[in-house]
Amino acid sequence: MSNQRASKRRGKNAPGRGRRTRWLAGGAAGLLLAAIAGFWAIGLSGGEGGPTDFAMVAYQGQDVLGGDEPDFRDVVGQGTPLVLNFWAASCPPCREEMPGFQRVHDEMGDDFIMLGVDIGPFVRLGTHEGARAFLAEYGIDYPAAYAVSADVVQDYEVRGMPTTVFFDGDGRMVNKHTGYMPEAQLRRELEGLLASAE
């Protein structure tokens, strides 16, 4: 009987078993940390310390965006802070916040770039035709475009609509907000962003 118990104890605490378990746990943790670091280095920073690039087709604001089919990298990090707002025409919170964004743009638009990027078709919240109609109906005239690839949803971790991302003049992402953003909050965020740029 005592021999069986001793045998079980040896099986449970066999030499090397604890080390092997710790090694596996440590290896898994290391891989997880590497994956997270890799995501931030590649996913949000493009491996260059700047944001992930993506192709767009402009609805409006071609003069600011640099043409009808600009790349995001050509707009961000050019010395002017940028607010990137992912929206969709059939997204009620988007429709609610964008008139406030327009008022802020009307007042402070010389100091920053406001860019609305429609991802409605990728999140089943609208079409390009619906987006154009919404922009006209609500009098939104700041630069707006639609993303060409759904990759942007994953690259920027868009987990809710709308999502607003703030970049400094060097193109570094400094803040991200998921969900409806009141006009007053946008003003506060911008004031802090512009103050840090001085």
Side-chain angles (χ1 to χ4, degrees):
M1 191 76 166
S2 60
N3 285 344
Q4 285 179 345
R5 279 194 203 126
S7 172
K8 282 183 184 174
R9 274 200 298 274
R10 277 196 302 272
K12 215 177 229 184
N13 299 315
R17 183 178 177 122
R19 284 192 300 264
R20 191 165 45 250
T21 303
R22 285 192 299 273
W23 181 84
L24 288 171
L31 286 174
L32 178 62
L33 288 173
I36 292 169
F39 174 81
W40 283 105
I42 296 169
L44 287 178
S45 301
E48 301 278 329
T52 295
D53 191 27
F54 60 92
M56 303 177 279
V57 174
Y59 289 132
Q60 59 196 29
Q62 286 87 339
D63 55 328
V64 174
L65 300 178
D68 291 325
E69 298 183 8
D71 289 329
F72 185 57
R73 68 176 171 217
D74 297 327
V75 183
V76 70
Q78 305 300 314
T80 304
L82 183 143
V83 178
L84 171 62
N85 176 246
F86 292 107
W87 64 282
S90 299
C91 157
C94 304
R95 296 172 78 91
E96 187 177 346
E97 79 176 1
M98 286 173 73
F101 284 16
Q102 180 65 48
R103 287 189 291 273
V104 173
H105 177 262
D106 289 343
E107 293 175 29
M108 304 171 64
D110 291 340
D111 299 324
F112 77 104
I113 296 171
M114 183 79 217
L115 171 59
V117 173
D118 172 25
I119 57 171
F122 305 133
V123 294
R124 298 183 180 161
L125 286 172
T127 64
H128 300 318
E129 294 75 22
R132 287 188 184 94
F134 166 74
L135 293 170
E137 179 186 350
Y138 280 69
I140 307 298
D141 65 11
Y142 55 75
Y146 64 83
V148 172
S149 168
D151 289 348
V152 74
V153 176
Q154 181 177 347
D155 290 344
Y156 284 88
E157 291 193 300
V158 178
R159 299 183 188 273
M161 292 292 291
T163 292
T164 306
V165 188
F166 295 83
F167 296 90
D168 66 16
D170 295 322
R172 289 185 294 261
M173 188 181 82
V174 296
N175 202 0
K176 185 171 96 169
H177 178 84
T178 300
Y180 169 76
M181 178 176 283
E183 180 179 341
Q185 183 178 351
L186 175 63
R187 289 180 187 277
R188 285 194 303 273
E189 294 280 357
L190 266 175
E191 285 164 4
L193 186 58
L194 296 171
S196 68
E198 290 174 358

